[in-house]
């Protein structure tokens, strides 16, 4: 799934929140760990959370190519919380080892991530299908003279259409004669 995620384009908004990233990583890393190992992960996450918070305040440095400070700090904050949740779950339920499929809440979150991921993959596929269907369509930006623009606007206003709809109806009615002449038979634009 990680390789597939990198293939998705980023459009200014991240698909995965810090909590999503943390929950997914902890779920995978905790698999098969005993309570003592999970407790060590809680302690490690606490240290990393503190370090990234200090770096966020400017008391440390990030390497040039690391992810942004806010994101890193948010992820470690979320990881610390998730490791604590796993530790507390194991302690309360009495598990000797963490098994992701037995973690009801973690499984719900994992299914939700998978559904969002499937939806994200389906959106570009649906867009590609629409593009295939529209392959025969022509989209054009037309600059008309002031007089022609006013005429098209008047016709559009009378018909209750947008100017682009009037132009589309004109284009649909174009007739090309055998000698190459072009004309449009008389018609009344309509919805």
């Amino acid at each position: 799934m990680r390789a597939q995620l990198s293939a998705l384009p980023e459009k200014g908004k991240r698909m995965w929140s810090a909590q999503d990233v943390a929950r997914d990583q902890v779920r995978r890393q905790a698999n098969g760990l005993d309570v003592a190992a999970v407790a060590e992960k809680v302690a490690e996450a606490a240290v990393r959370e503190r370090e990234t918070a200090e770096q966020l305040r400017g008391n440390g440095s990030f390497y040039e190519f690391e992810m942004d400070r806010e994101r890193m700090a948010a992820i470690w904050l979320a990881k610390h919380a998730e490791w604590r949740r796993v530790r507390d779950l194991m302690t309360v339920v009495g598990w000797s080892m963490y098994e992701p499929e037995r973690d009801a809440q973690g499984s719900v979150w994992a299914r939700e991530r998978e559904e969002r991921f499937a939806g994200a993959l389906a959106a570009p596929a649906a867009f590609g299908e629409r593009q295939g269907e529209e392959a025969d369509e022509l989209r054009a930006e037309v600059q008309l003279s002031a007089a022609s623009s006013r005429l098209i606007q008047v016709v559009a206003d009378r018909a209750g259409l947008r100017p682009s709809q009037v132009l589309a109806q004109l284009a649909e009615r174009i007739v090309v004669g055998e000698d190459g002449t072009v004309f449009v038979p008389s018609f009344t634009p309509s919805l």
Side-chain angles (χ1 to χ4, degrees):
M1 183 161 137
R2 186 185 311 225
Q4 292 171 328
L5 287 178
S6 64
L8 292 176
E10 190 161 312
K11 297 181 179 177
K13 182 181 177 191
R14 295 182 192 275
M15 181 172 164
W16 305 116
S17 70
Q19 289 78 16
D20 288 324
V21 171
R23 289 169 181 160
D24 182 54
Q25 289 178 358
V26 169
R27 184 175 173 85
R28 285 184 286 106
Q29 292 172 4
N31 189 20
L33 296 181
D34 62 16
V35 176
V38 170
E40 288 176 19
K41 292 290 191 178
V42 170
E44 176 189 337
V47 169
R48 295 299 302 268
E49 177 188 357
R50 187 176 53 254
E51 289 173 352
T52 56
E54 288 172 7
Q55 290 170 336
L56 185 59
R57 289 189 297 269
N59 297 335
S61 64
F62 278 75
Y63 293 104
E64 181 179 350
F65 298 108
E66 284 190 65
M67 69 176 69
D68 63 84
R69 293 174 183 212
E70 292 86 7
R71 178 94 171 140
M72 183 67 82
I75 288 172
W76 276 107
L77 174 70
K79 276 179 139 177
H80 186 203
E82 184 61 10
W83 278 115
R84 286 192 318 260
R85 186 193 71 80
V86 168
R87 178 202 58 203
D88 295 346
L89 173 67
M90 291 177 69
T91 303
V92 168
V93 178
W95 292 346
S96 59
M97 181 178 17
Y98 180 77
E99 297 175 44
E101 55 279 349
R102 292 174 55 193
D103 180 352
Q105 183 62 61
S107 295
V108 167
W109 289 331
R111 273 192 306 280
E112 289 171 355
R113 275 191 310 278
E114 288 171 11
E115 289 168 5
R116 281 195 313 263
F117 183 65
L121 289 179
F127 178 72
E129 274 184 39
R130 282 193 307 276
Q131 278 189 318
E133 292 168 0
E134 297 172 354
D136 292 336
E137 293 181 10
L138 172 66
R139 295 180 187 268
E141 185 174 316
V142 180
Q143 291 189 0
L144 302 173
S145 68
S148 296
S149 295
R150 281 192 297 276
L151 184 58
I152 294 291
Q153 188 63 54
V154 167
V155 172
D157 290 343
R158 285 184 186 164
L161 299 170
R162 293 187 315 269
S164 61
Q165 292 172 307
V166 172
L167 290 172
Q169 289 183 25
L170 276 167
E172 288 171 357
R173 290 169 173 78
I174 291 176
V175 177
V176 180
E178 287 184 23
D179 61 352
T181 58
V182 177
F183 66 95
V184 177
S186 297
F187 75 99
T188 303
S190 61
L191 290 173

